[in-house]
Amino acid sequence: EAGVTQFPSHSVIEKGQTVTLRCDPISGHDNLYWYRRVMGKEIKFLLHFVKESKQDESGMPNNRFLAERTGGTYSTLKVQPAELEDSGVYFCASSQDFASTQFFGPGTRLTVL
Amino acid sequence: GENVEQHPSTLSVQEGDSAVIKCTYSDSASNYFPWYKQELGKRPQLIIDIRSNVGEKKDQRIAVTLNKTAKHFSLHITETQPEDSAVYFCAASKGSSYKLIFGSGTRLLVRP
């Protein structure tokens, strides 16, 4: 069974530019989560999709971040415009249903210069 | 708000010794507590989890204990091996949201 995949693995951009991260969950998993780890701190929740609907977006830091999951399959997280403090590792996770194990992707390391 | 504190931030043990990592959560409604292991450059992987209706769970050399009254849970690794070296994250969630609230991580080093 293929795991959660994320693209790209690394991204280096300049402040003010736009970056789009992609996550492909495990096939059949309706629940998709975005998290990020900044500066070696704890992994923080960003948002949760159930199929194509946003179930909880309480962790989104501001309106520069936009997440979509059209069709309920893969998801994208766009940062526009990027700021220095957005640097970190962005993880995606998926689960079959609400209460089951969340499987993580390898993460996208974003560096904003 | 919801918070999980994790200690220690780093832990160095001799191969064969035991390692214990402790976490405290703030939201008494939390009912699910997973532990993830992240090796260098790899994805976080679930190693064990426990739900609030159980006080202890064991899987070979790994065990987790939960004290709901004190709102803390711990990871115990016995007979540590060099391949146990990694960053370990505890987390908590509750049924209403299922988002994971993570601790800050513990870097475990097992010295051969």
Side-chain angles (χ1 to χ4, degrees), chain A residues 35-53:
Chain A
Y35 295 87
R36 74 172 178 178
R37 190 180 188 206
V38 174
M39 290 289 289
K41 295 185 178 179
E42 73 270 26
I43 301 171
K44 282 198 169 183
F45 168 81
L46 296 177
L47 87 161
H48 170 203
F49 282 101
V50 178
K51 297 185 180 178
E52 68 275 8
S53 299

Side-chain angles (χ1 to χ4, degrees), chain A residues 3-5 33 35 37 40-45 48 55-56 58 91 98-106, chain B residues 3 32 36 38 41-46 49 51 87 89 95-105 107:
Chain A
V4 177
T5 58
Y33 303 80
Y35 295 87
R37 190 180 188 206
K41 295 185 178 179
E42 73 270 26
I43 301 171
K44 282 198 169 183
F45 168 81
H48 170 203
Q55 179 76 12
D56 180 355
S58 62
F91 290 104
F98 276 174
S100 57
T101 299
Q102 292 185 29
F103 294 90
F104 278 74
Chain B
N3 184 51
Y32 175 61
Y36 285 83
Q38 187 180 19
K42 297 189 177 181
R43 69 190 67 203
Q45 291 203 305
L46 180 77
D49 57 11
R51 297 190 184 272
V87 178
F89 293 96
S96 59
S97 68
Y98 298 100
K99 65 184 179 186
L100 296 176
I101 307 299
F102 281 91
S104 54
R107 184 175 298 278

Side-chain angles (χ1 to χ4, degrees), chain B residues 77-97:
Chain B
I77 306 174
T78 59
E79 300 171 25
T80 53
Q81 301 167 3
E83 52 264 39
D84 294 330
S85 296
V87 178
Y88 291 80
F89 293 96
C90 64
S93 74
K94 57 186 179 183
S96 59
S97 68

Side-chain angles (χ1 to χ4, degrees), chain A residues 1 16 23 27 43 55 59 66 82 84 94:
Chain A
E1 176 185 277
C23 168
S27 178
I43 301 171
Q55 179 76 12
L66 175 64
L84 299 179
S94 72

